[in-house]
Amino acid sequence: QDEFVSSQLKIPSDTLSRFPAFDIYYIYAFASQRFVYFVTLQLDTELTSPDTSGEPFYTSKIVRLCAGDSKFYSYVEFPIGCTRDGVEYRLAQAAHLGKPGRRLAQSLGVSEDQDVLFVVFSRGQKHRADPP
């Protein structure tokens, strides 16, 4: 078997042997409607070389689960970040769930009473010696 399967989460069996420092840093968590969300910072296994000579690359992801899902069947994650003037900002530093003001709500096309996730990103893909 080439994958470790737990509650429908598929992790290639060699991930931890190839990347022994596969840490996930949880930046922020929140609930909205029937879901629980996590903003994470974790090793990008596609960009990081498994040998220890290369610089580890990190990326941010948002994770969503159904609030009542104790077996993680509804687990979904995808990368988040932003780009401005050709520069990528992929490392989540902080996040906050709040209501937008009038002008922001109007520019986003949402109502002022809707939840909006605000995330602060930094650029760079450098090794994280300490959790954020």
Side-chain angles (χ1 to χ4, degrees):
Q1 179 169 346
D2 63 349
E3 292 181 334
F4 171 76
V5 179
S6 173
S7 302
Q8 299 298 315
L9 295 176
K10 294 184 178 182
I11 301 170
S13 61
D14 63 347
T15 298
L16 294 179
S17 63
R18 291 177 59 218
F19 304 100
F22 188 83
D23 293 327
I24 298 176
Y25 302 113
Y26 292 88
I27 307 298
Y28 187 67
F30 62 97
S32 182
Q33 298 178 358
R34 302 175 325 219
F35 301 101
V36 178
Y37 296 86
F38 301 93
V39 176
T40 68
L41 183 64
Q42 56 188 278
L43 192 67
D44 188 328
T45 57
E46 292 181 19
L47 294 177
T48 300
S49 172
D51 64 28
T52 57
S53 65
E55 184 75 29
F57 286 84
Y58 283 80
T59 192
S60 298
K61 294 186 178 184
I62 188 161
V63 176
R64 185 184 82 171
L65 291 165
C66 291
D69 182 2
S70 62
K71 297 190 184 230
F72 286 61
Y73 291 129
S74 61
Y75 182 97
V76 177
E77 69 177 32
F78 62 93
I80 57 172
C82 58
T83 304
R84 180 163 178 116
D85 299 326
V87 178
E88 284 189 355
Y89 298 87
R90 294 175 46 148
L91 303 179
Q93 302 296 303
H96 175 74
L97 187 69
K99 307 292 183 196
R102 182 184 56 79
R103 289 178 63 193
L104 180 59
Q106 188 177 34
S107 71
L108 295 174
V110 300
S111 68
E112 291 180 54
D113 63 338
Q114 280 188 272
D115 288 335
V116 173
L117 178 63
F118 299 88
V119 181
V120 177
F121 294 96
S122 68
R123 71 184 234 192
Q125 300 295 336
K126 297 299 181 188
H127 176 69
R128 298 299 301 231
D130 298 313

